[in-house]
Amino acid sequence: MEPAEYKHVVLGLVFLKFASDKFAERRQQLIDEGRPEKYLEMPEFYNMHNVFFLKKESRWEEIQDNAKQGNLALIIDTALHTIEKDNKALKGALPDNYFSRLGLDPTKLAALVDEISNIDTLKDKKQDVVGKVYQYFLSKFALAEGKGKGEFYTPASIVNLIAEMIEPYEGIIYDPACGSGGMFVQSIKFIESHHGNKQKVAIYGQEYTNTTYKLAKMNLAIRGIGANLGEKAADTFGQDQHPDLKADYIMANPPFNQKDWRGEKELTDDARWLGYDVPPRSNANYGWILNIAAKLSDNGVAGFILANGALSGGGEEYKIRRKLIDNDLVEAIVILPQDMFYTTNISVTVWILNKNKRERTREVGDETRHYRDRTGEILFMDLRQIGEPFEKKFIQFAPQHVTDIATTYHNWQQTDKGYENVSEYCYAATAAEVAAKDFSLVPSKYIPFVNRDEYIDFEEQMAGLQTEFATLLQAEAQSKKDLLNVFKELGYAIEL
């Protein structure tokens, strides 16, 4: 079975186990409270605690008890279908008749059920055990699917970085290419870590691939996160599920360098590019940028990832980029290290767009941000030398890296925080400087390079090398002499 298929099998079963554990826990609470037995079968007593009501055929013990039956796949499909039918929040989220269609070996499926039965999903609620299991499998499947696939997963440390930079604390959060919903999960974690109220955010998203759309719904449902992902899986450009949305925060990792994303005569007068040139068919990067810019509220801020080519493309891309800079929407450009993504090794950049770069004050949890007026400025950051090894051939940011990078950004945004340009790391450029570089947003054009050869004492360096090589040559000569003596003593003298 391909990893692309296997993930739906495993994650579907993990979802069933978690939903069933939550149901069993709530049922026991009702029993402990001395509730009449008829209450135990009333969905309202479960839904009021954000627990899915499960009929008998949907409960894990029913699946486990029948795991050795030849019709286990049908039993699982029935359980998933019944849960979805009985819980509106799961509409369109769960695989439909999926296990039966796969024709899985019943023995292997039963063994998988046994393995998942051993997971105590409620063991430590503070640790979000199921969330971690879900994230683990999503990342592992992304690795297994390899280059060109696995578009549903953005490495966690990049998502963390974007959340810490744009700080989605309260308001509307939107992701136009939401994949498995990782950006939303991290947004909620950000709110929790800053003692915010999850009820003060509303989540909107859209996803093109039907199986990934279902994955996102499961991923969010399993964590108790309510979201509007549209009526169906659909193309954000061709079938925008939220045409009138204005979001306070937008986080996204859209497909890189997507070609032929619209027909030649399609979407040429779309309202999202009003005031800009029409994004070229050859690459969707600027279609995504304008879609995001069009959906920002008056104080909205967006953090999203694009391939580096968008920083300096010509033609229509150049015209759009220039207009974005003229309109003062670009706040920061952050180039990431290579090898952070499981699915590609191309270089990518985090773009930060901000509709309001003027002076203002904002509360973020226990902290107060005193933003200075940053109109006409763009912060460039180069993170290519930052990170730690991960899974042998990948790079990720450690938590302290994320904190340090976000702090640099927030210090630059605020008054009297001691921000300074740092060679090979960060530089705050003016609009005039960017115009002088012909509106290129490539960070290396602005961030000074340290010439480490500039202050080297040539005589001193050469004297040091001379001593080092003399020592090496003397050692080599002694080694040669010793070797010849050994052969001579053995009666096999070597004549050179």
Side-chain angles (χ1 to χ4, degrees), residues 35-214:
R35 301 280 186 176
E37 191 166 344
K38 64 178 182 180
Y39 287 10
L40 304 183
E41 299 300 322
M42 294 175 69
E44 294 79 3
F45 282 89
Y46 296 86
N47 297 339
M48 63 193 295
H49 287 266
N50 292 321
V51 174
F52 297 123
F53 175 75
L54 307 185
K55 290 177 179 168
K56 184 182 178 186
E57 60 266 35
S58 298
R59 299 171 193 170
W60 188 259
E61 62 263 27
E62 189 72 8
I63 294 169
Q64 194 175 10
D65 290 346
N66 292 285
K68 309 306 178 192
Q69 304 298 317
N71 63 342
L72 178 57
L74 178 61
I75 292 171
I76 295 171
D77 280 333
T78 302
L80 289 167
H81 175 74
T82 306
I83 293 179
E84 183 173 316
K85 188 178 69 174
D86 292 343
N87 296 277
K88 286 184 179 178
L90 291 172
K91 184 183 176 185
L94 304 182
D96 182 22
N97 199 29
Y98 184 70
F99 287 78
S100 299
R101 281 189 282 118
L102 285 177
L104 296 167
D105 180 338
T107 307
K108 291 182 178 176
L109 184 56
L112 184 58
V113 167
D114 285 343
E115 281 296 319
I116 292 175
S117 295
N118 294 326
I119 302 174
D120 182 354
T121 64
L122 306 180
K123 185 177 180 181
D124 186 347
K125 293 179 180 177
K126 290 182 179 177
Q127 292 298 316
D128 184 18
V129 172
V130 166
K132 288 189 172 180
V133 168
Y134 233 69
Q135 184 163 316
Y136 174 83
F137 277 110
L138 285 172
S139 63
K140 290 295 180 186
F141 286 130
L143 276 171
E145 289 187 41
K147 193 175 291 185
K149 299 182 180 178
E151 293 175 337
F152 53 87
Y153 187 76
T154 308
S157 70
I158 297 179
V159 184
N160 293 352
L161 176 64
I162 294 175
E164 290 294 332
M165 290 182 78
I166 72 169
E167 301 183 307
Y169 194 66
E170 60 183 32
I172 293 175
I173 302 171
Y174 169 61
D175 183 345
C178 70
S180 59
M183 298 287 187
F184 301 137
V185 171
Q186 196 56 42
S187 297
I188 296 301
K189 286 184 178 178
F190 175 85
I191 294 167
E192 290 173 341
S193 67
H194 289 77
H195 313 296
N197 183 352
K198 291 186 289 185
Q199 303 304 318
K200 291 186 176 181
V201 297
I203 288 174
Y204 292 81
Q206 184 159 348
E207 171 55 38
Y208 176 68
T209 307
N210 191 48
T211 50
T212 309
Y213 171 82
K214 289 176 180 289

